[in-house]
């Protein structure tokens, strides 16, 4: 069948708990959101082996894993973490909170802002 220590990428993604189901893993691979050693792949039957580097794009994040071993089952999270080494770079913003992400300071108990309040807050933010 396959070489020693090799496994289908959809099975590996499922066993490593990257996605919730094997069919979802196949869809992620087919949509071109997985790279194997920097090469884009689109076949869920692609084989991975220890030492391969996977770059996976999921929603708003990019995950980089080095395959350490093939999986045998979808076990607990501790077992899944033994299948890979996480090479994901830290977030680009360096942990700093952007000024736009901070909620506006309002008196406690004043309820939701009205449209007029939101316009005033936007005008103050634009002046800065």
């Amino acid at each position: 069948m396959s070489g020693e220590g090799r496994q289908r990428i959809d099975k590996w993604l499922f066993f490593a708990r990257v996605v919730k189901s094997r069919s979802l893993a196949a869809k992620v691979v087919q949509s071109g959101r997985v790279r194997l050693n920097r090469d884009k792949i689109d076949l869920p039957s692609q084989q991975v082996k220890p030492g391969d580097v996977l770059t996976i794009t999921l929603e708003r994040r990019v995950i980089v894993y080095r395959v350490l071993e093939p999986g045998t089952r979808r076990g607990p999270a501790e077992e899944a973490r033994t299948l890979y080494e996480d090479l994901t770079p830290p977030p680009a913003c360096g942990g700093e909170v952007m000024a736009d992400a901070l909620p506006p300071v309002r008196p406690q108990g004043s309820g939701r802002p009205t449209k007029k309040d939101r316009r005033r807050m936007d005008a103050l933010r634009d002046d800065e």
Side-chain angles (χ1 to χ4, degrees):
M1 241 188 190
S2 63
E4 190 65 32
R6 292 180 173 262
Q7 187 171 43
R8 287 176 57 112
I9 188 139
D10 59 343
K11 286 179 79 171
W12 191 90
L13 291 171
F14 177 62
F15 291 157
R17 293 184 162 264
V18 177
V19 292
K20 289 185 177 185
S21 68
R22 188 165 165 199
S23 60
L24 185 60
K27 287 178 186 176
V28 167
V29 174
Q30 287 174 341
S31 67
R33 293 187 287 174
V34 178
R35 290 180 177 264
L36 176 63
N37 298 324
R38 296 189 178 194
D39 297 327
K40 191 179 282 192
I41 58 173
D42 58 357
L43 293 176
S45 61
Q46 181 76 36
Q47 300 285 316
V48 293
K49 64 185 184 308
D52 285 344
V53 176
L54 298 174
T55 306
I56 308 151
T57 305
L58 295 174
E59 294 181 18
R60 295 182 184 161
R61 59 190 176 130
V62 175
I63 302 170
V64 182
Y65 288 155
R66 176 176 290 127
V67 177
L68 297 179
E69 60 184 72
T72 55
R73 68 183 188 115
R74 183 178 169 96
E78 296 82 28
E79 184 179 319
R81 277 190 228 109
T82 63
L83 301 179
Y84 60 85
E85 176 186 354
D86 192 358
L87 305 175
T88 306
C93 65
E96 297 176 12
V97 178
M98 296 176 8
D100 291 340
L102 295 175
V105 178
R106 292 179 32 96
Q108 187 154 359
S110 62
R112 290 181 60 178
T114 63
K115 188 181 267 188
K116 185 177 180 180
D117 292 337
R118 288 194 308 266
R119 287 183 185 140
R120 191 175 337 126
M121 287 185 282
D122 287 341
L124 290 173
R125 192 175 303 134
D126 291 340
D127 290 340
E128 292 176 353

